[in-house]
Amino acid sequence: MPEPQPAGDDSPEGVVRVLVADGDPQTRDALLLVLADHASVAAVGVADDAVEVARLAGTLRPAVALVDVGVPGGGPEAAGGIRTRSPDTQVLAMLAYDDRPAVMRMFAAGAVGYVLKSTPGPELCGTIRRVACGRISLSGSVATGLVDDLAAELERREREPREQQERVRRVERALEPAAFAMVFQPVVDLRHGQVVGVEALARFRPDPQRSPALWFAEAAKVGRQAELEVAAVRAAWSHLEEIPDGLYLSVNASPQTLLTQAFQQLFHRPGAERLMVELTEHAAVDDYQALGDALLRLRSRGARLAVDDAGAGYASLRHILRLDPDVVKLDVSLTRGIDRDGRRRALACALIPFAEQIGATMTAEGIETQQELDALRELGVSYGQGFFLGAPAPVPLLGWSAPAARG
């Protein structure tokens, strides 16, 4: 290997000084032989990891650093270190094969070109000289891919504000008084077939026609989730006098909404003792202390707490452990087919006594067949809801008995 030379004029008209970084000794030796065969370039140093090549770049100040993407310590880390220690050094990435994501990572770290390790000597040295001038050097396939990625990114940046504006308009329409109606699904005592409560569910009228969950998710994207959820709870509460005495009204709210003043103020009105708040959302809660304090205020007015979707994910189980709910709702993914799936039965068998031990009752969601109902009764589930027991309906159309649950 040529002896390191002091920093000098690295103009393309002279010899271009090159620093080589590769973790494989045989590859390093092969590269040094290739460079030695061409008078227009000269190797001034070698390194076998990212830390060493950055250190040498700061000392030797080469025009170009030829860096293997897979050098120990990381090619992008090596490129970043070189650019920090020697800003005038141009980084040329080496790869064994075309790998556009790897090239993009190297470019993001400061590389200006790349070559394959199989590149013939004259072509490699020509690329080194072009890179020494600061010219970007890419293969056709990677260049096309880079242009495509940039075009896609520009299109996304142009499209995103328009899409956000459209989301805002849709949510604003959904917040209009006549934009949604509340329907109510009965919750049934599976032992006696009696309706004990109803869950309020929103049904949206504006286009596009889609599930309520998507409407609430879109409201969250534009920062108006709490506003829409509060509007739905207020609408449900307006029907409380139409629901027979002795039945509770269950309303849905995310942890973020439950913390808001607007939601808390709803529970100052008469009838709060008939409300059940179902905590929705599978996301983890950042501050259980604040959520617990908010729930304590609601409970002081007589409201109760249900944790939704038990068994569907870690977050719902954590809610149960941290919030001491009155009701645990068995997720529809466990209810569906529980009569013929031993794994679902086993998980339900674990959750039912757990709920009893913490003083909560279990309600199974999504019951759609007699067989599912029979299996849940056999397991000891006390309450249930689903289309087999009663479909969601406006209060005037809702029957207050559940014959399917009897027998």
Side-chain angles (χ1 to χ4, degrees):
M1 183 194 77
E3 290 296 321
Q5 301 174 16
D9 180 13
D10 285 331
S11 66
E13 290 76 15
V15 175
V16 175
R17 302 169 60 251
V18 183
L19 175 61
V20 176
D22 196 298
D24 178 45
Q26 292 182 336
T27 302
R28 289 199 305 270
D29 291 344
L31 287 169
L32 293 175
L33 288 173
V34 168
L35 298 179
D37 282 343
H38 295 80
S40 62
V41 296
V44 297
V46 293
D48 58 9
D49 62 39
V51 173
E52 179 66 6
V53 73
R55 186 190 69 79
L56 286 176
T59 302
L60 301 173
R61 306 284 180 174
V64 175
L66 188 58
V67 179
D68 176 27
V69 170
V71 68
E77 290 73 15
I82 292 166
R83 299 295 291 167
T84 299
R85 298 286 191 91
S86 181
D88 293 333
T89 298
Q90 307 294 342
V91 177
L92 178 59
M94 288 188 298
L95 296 91
Y97 54 88
D98 270 328
D99 182 350
R100 200 171 94 204
V103 173
M104 300 310 169
R105 289 193 295 272
M106 289 295 289
F107 269 76
V112 297
Y114 101 104
V115 290
L116 295 176
K117 291 185 178 181
S118 59
T119 301
E123 184 180 340
L124 171 63
C125 293
T127 300
I128 290 172
R129 292 188 62 82
R130 288 193 299 275
V131 166
C133 300
R135 299 174 188 167
I136 294 176
S137 180
L138 293 167
S139 72
S141 62
V142 170
T144 300
L146 180 60
V147 170
D148 289 345
D149 286 349
L150 290 174
E153 176 64 15
L154 289 173
E155 182 181 354
R156 185 191 65 79
R157 292 186 182 185
E158 291 178 357
R159 185 177 66 247
E160 197 170 66
R162 296 195 301 269
E163 290 178 346
Q164 186 72 352
Q165 289 173 1
E166 184 56 34
R167 290 189 195 104
V168 170
R169 285 193 290 267
R170 283 196 295 266
V171 171
E172 286 176 346
R173 292 198 302 271
L175 282 163
E176 294 173 359
F180 64 89
M182 303 305 296
V183 294
F184 302 84
Q185 185 170 44
V187 180
V188 178
D189 184 330
L190 300 186
R191 298 160 296 186
H192 307 107
Q194 297 173 334
V195 176
V196 296
V198 291
E199 180 181 357
L201 303 164
R203 295 293 182 263
F204 291 87
R205 296 188 177 103
D207 289 332
Q209 296 298 310
R210 55 184 177 174
S211 73
L214 291 178
W215 280 105
F216 285 107
E218 186 160 72
K221 288 181 180 179
V222 300
R224 303 186 74 174
Q225 178 181 13
E227 190 176 350
L228 187 57
E229 289 185 352
V230 167
V233 173
R234 185 181 292 113
W237 204 317
S238 70
H239 293 281
L240 187 59
E241 292 183 357
E242 304 169 53
I243 299 170
D245 292 340
L247 274 61
Y248 68 81
L249 170 62
S250 184
V251 295
N252 293 281
S254 64
Q256 297 86 343
T257 296
L258 198 145
L259 291 169
T260 64
Q261 185 177 6
F263 186 83
Q264 291 283 323
Q265 286 178 341
L266 287 173
F267 286 77
H268 288 287
R269 61 176 64 188
E273 71 282 356
R274 295 181 62 189
L275 269 288
M276 178 88 70
V277 178
E278 288 196 25
L279 195 65
T280 62
E281 227 173 78
H282 293 185
V285 172
D286 294 329
D287 190 346
Y288 272 102
Q289 182 63 51
L291 184 58
D293 292 343
L295 286 168
L296 189 61
R297 291 191 291 272
L298 297 183
R299 283 171 155 164
S300 70
R301 300 179 188 117
R304 293 182 294 160
L305 172 68
V307 168
D308 208 5
D309 303 331
Y314 171 75
S316 61
L317 295 177
R318 192 174 184 188
H319 295 343
I320 296 169
L321 291 171
R322 299 293 297 270
L323 300 174
D324 192 23
D326 301 283
V327 174
V328 173
K329 301 196 75 173
L330 194 65
D331 186 67
V332 64
S333 65
L334 294 182
T335 301
R336 193 68 45 78
I338 195 169
D339 56 299
R340 57 183 185 277
D341 189 322
R343 291 170 298 180
R344 286 179 168 85
R345 291 174 66 90
L347 184 50
C349 283
L351 289 172
I352 293 165
F354 169 69
E356 291 175 351
Q357 289 178 27
I358 65 172
T361 58
M362 177 72 75
T363 298
E365 296 183 290
I367 301 173
E368 294 193 352
T369 68
Q370 182 69 52
Q371 291 76 20
E372 290 170 352
L373 175 60
D374 292 341
L376 291 163
R377 276 176 169 159
E378 183 182 336
L379 291 172
V381 176
S382 302
Y383 302 94
Q385 65 186 100
F387 278 79
F388 185 70
L389 301 176
V395 171
L397 303 180
L398 193 65
W400 297 112
S401 63
R406 299 196 182 109

